[in-house]
Amino acid sequence: MPHLALYTFGVLKSPLAEPTPLMDEFYARGEAIYRKISRHPGHLAHAEAAHGDRGTLFEADWGAWGQFAVPAWYAKGRTAETTALAATLSLWTDLRSASEAVYTGLHREALNRRYDWFERTGHPGHVFWWVPEGVTPTWRDGVARLEHLHEHGPAPHAFTRETAERRGP
């Protein structure tokens, strides 16, 4: 049975390393949300740097998730001091589980405040796609699917939560 991959991407208003109350709040919420989501029924796995490298997204070893990649429209920094993005890559058993984890509770509260932390880019912030069981999606897969979604709209290859309910595996 196929699994559902989810890639999220957002451009932050300030670098992750910038010691501001805004970024401190973002980190604190993010860590709590990750803990909660990783225990949610239907969550299979999410990309984590092999050595827990916080803020070194581009240089980190991501193992089976592949080399870290970002969409072409990301034009900010790529070092630990200048990176101003938040990205996730996760694997789920199904759309319902992913939707419940992302659109309820702590994460829903954070989504309601997303424009406090993120720039409005005019690009989609997430993309779903189906992968065969046993396949680990890569960062490059996520970027390619998000860019495809932006350029061509939803399709079986790359879709949003709103269109996923009509598609299935």
Side-chain angles (χ1 to χ4, degrees), residues 12-27 54-55 76 79-84:
L12 294 166
K13 291 182 175 180
S14 61
L16 288 166
E18 191 172 298
T20 65
L22 187 65
M23 292 320 310
D24 289 345
E25 179 186 13
F26 177 76
Y27 261 134
R54 183 174 172 174
K76 290 192 174 183
T79 67
E81 296 78 28
T82 62
T83 298

Side-chain angles (χ1 to χ4, degrees), residues 34-106:
Y34 254 108
R35 280 192 305 274
K36 185 165 177 93
I37 285 178
S38 68
R39 294 189 307 263
H40 195 279
H43 177 265
L44 297 171
H46 62 266
E48 291 184 277
H51 306 292
D53 298 329
R54 183 174 172 174
T56 59
L57 301 171
F58 293 92
E59 297 86 15
D61 174 6
W62 293 92
W65 302 91
Q67 182 179 358
F68 189 75
V70 295
W73 65 78
Y74 175 73
K76 290 192 174 183
R78 293 173 183 254
T79 67
E81 296 78 28
T82 62
T83 298
L85 65 89
T88 66
L89 181 58
S90 56
L91 197 55
W92 297 85
T93 56
D94 57 87
L95 177 62
R96 183 179 188 162
S97 297
S99 293
E100 287 174 358
V102 172
Y103 294 100
T104 63
L106 290 176

Side-chain angles (χ1 to χ4, degrees), residues 11 13 115 118-123:
V11 179
K13 291 182 175 180
Y115 297 121
F118 292 96
E119 295 179 359
R120 296 174 190 246
T121 65
H123 295 91

Side-chain angles (χ1 to χ4, degrees), residues 6-10 86-89 125-127 139 146:
L6 169 60
Y7 173 72
T8 67
F9 184 83
T88 66
L89 181 58
H126 76 279
V127 65
W139 290 108
L146 192 69

